[in-house]
Amino acid sequence: MQAIMETLFDAVYLISVITIGILMIRGSKGNRQFRLFGVMAVVLGAGDAFHLVPRAYALCTTGLENYTALLGLGKWITSVTMTIFYVLLYYVWRQRYRVKGQGGLTAVVYILAGLRILLCMMPQNRWFSADAPLSWGIYRNIPFALLGLLVIVLFFRSAREQRDRAFRWMWLTIVLSFGFYIPVVLWADVMPMIGMLMIPKTCAYVWTVLIGYFSMKRECR
């Protein structure tokens, strides 16, 4: 039952997010903000597919334990693409609120993203092992969490200052995604049921994408 339900959920998620992203790229009508948002959605879906598709295949065949290396590779790729997702979201913020300059802020974004990707590339992560160390799971997620926190603050402040109703909950979608993701990183290995938090985490990302899509439908008529 888990295999069927999880596979259906992941299939709906991946198809929906990638489709919405393509629709945004095609329907942006030259609006850089929404074209960038569409690219961001495609990166999100395509990156997650590297982990979710092998996971679905494993669940529907001989089990997760027989695909450790493939699943590890998928998690590795997803870790990198999620970092790119937040860099793109930062540029969506700059486009939407017409932010100029602030080179120092952009440098911080790139430093955190670069550090996250560098840590993901370290062999100590043991991506292809069934007993990957928790310590490195924490290390690589520290700059990622800081990057997410920065984006949360930027969207919260800008939406509030400019009374941007369309994006007023963008910050909350990111808070929820990290709120559900962090317990999985810390405790999923010892309490597998905590892994179920990835479902609401995924829903939070869908909410993020839908905010951009419905905003485009209103503003690019």
Side-chain angles (χ1 to χ4, degrees):
M1 181 60 72
Q2 177 192 356
I4 296 173
M5 296 304 296
E6 186 173 327
T7 299
L8 286 174
F9 177 83
D10 291 342
V12 170
Y13 160 65
L14 293 175
I15 293 171
S16 299
V17 167
I18 293 174
T19 300
I20 291 171
I22 293 171
L23 289 174
M24 291 189 72
I25 294 170
R26 296 183 61 183
S28 59
K29 298 180 179 179
N31 187 308
R32 292 184 62 188
Q33 171 198 164
F34 294 119
R35 184 169 66 248
L36 188 60
F37 209 114
V39 171
M40 186 184 78
V42 172
V43 168
L44 173 66
D48 280 354
F50 280 97
H51 174 60
L52 295 179
V53 172
R55 181 177 173 85
Y57 182 78
L59 285 171
C60 294
T61 53
T62 57
L64 299 175
E65 64 278 3
N66 294 311
Y67 294 90
T68 300
L70 186 59
L71 291 171
L73 176 62
K75 289 173 66 177
W76 186 3
I77 294 172
T78 299
S79 296
V80 174
T81 57
M82 282 306 307
T83 309
I84 297 171
F85 171 88
Y86 278 100
V87 173
L88 293 173
L89 188 54
Y90 165 73
Y91 278 100
V92 168
W93 169 77
R94 291 184 65 94
Q95 288 289 324
R96 183 164 187 85
Y97 300 108
R98 298 178 176 84
V99 177
K100 304 296 182 182
Q102 301 207 28
L105 181 61
T106 301
V108 170
V109 168
Y110 276 103
I111 289 170
L112 290 174
L115 183 57
R116 154 77 167 181
I117 292 173
L118 177 63
L119 289 171
C120 287
M121 296 299 173
M122 300 300 288
Q124 289 89 340
N125 288 285
R126 296 170 63 185
W127 291 108
F128 307 131
S129 171
D131 57 345
L134 172 62
S135 58
W136 275 85
I138 295 173
Y139 298 155
R140 66 177 179 262
N141 278 296
I142 291 174
F144 185 52
L146 291 174
L147 177 60
L149 178 61
L150 177 60
V151 174
I152 288 167
V153 172
L154 293 176
F155 272 102
F156 178 79
R157 292 177 58 185
S158 296
R160 191 173 184 180
E161 289 171 358
Q162 301 193 28
R163 303 180 185 276
D164 184 2
R165 290 186 58 80
F167 273 59
R168 68 188 183 279
W169 299 121
M170 180 62 76
W171 67 275
L172 180 59
T173 70
I174 306 168
V175 169
L176 291 173
S177 66
F178 274 96
F180 292 123
Y181 173 65
I182 291 174
V184 175
V185 172
L186 295 176
W187 300 301
D189 287 341
V190 294
M191 298 177 62
M193 283 300 294
I194 289 181
M196 294 292 290
L197 290 176
M198 295 300 282
I199 294 176
K201 173 225 174 213
T202 299
C203 292
Y205 279 120
V206 173
W207 187 11
T208 301
V209 172
L210 288 175
I211 286 174
Y213 177 71
F214 288 126
S215 297
M216 183 196 73
K217 296 294 285 185
R218 286 191 297 268
E219 297 173 27
C220 295
R221 293 177 178 175

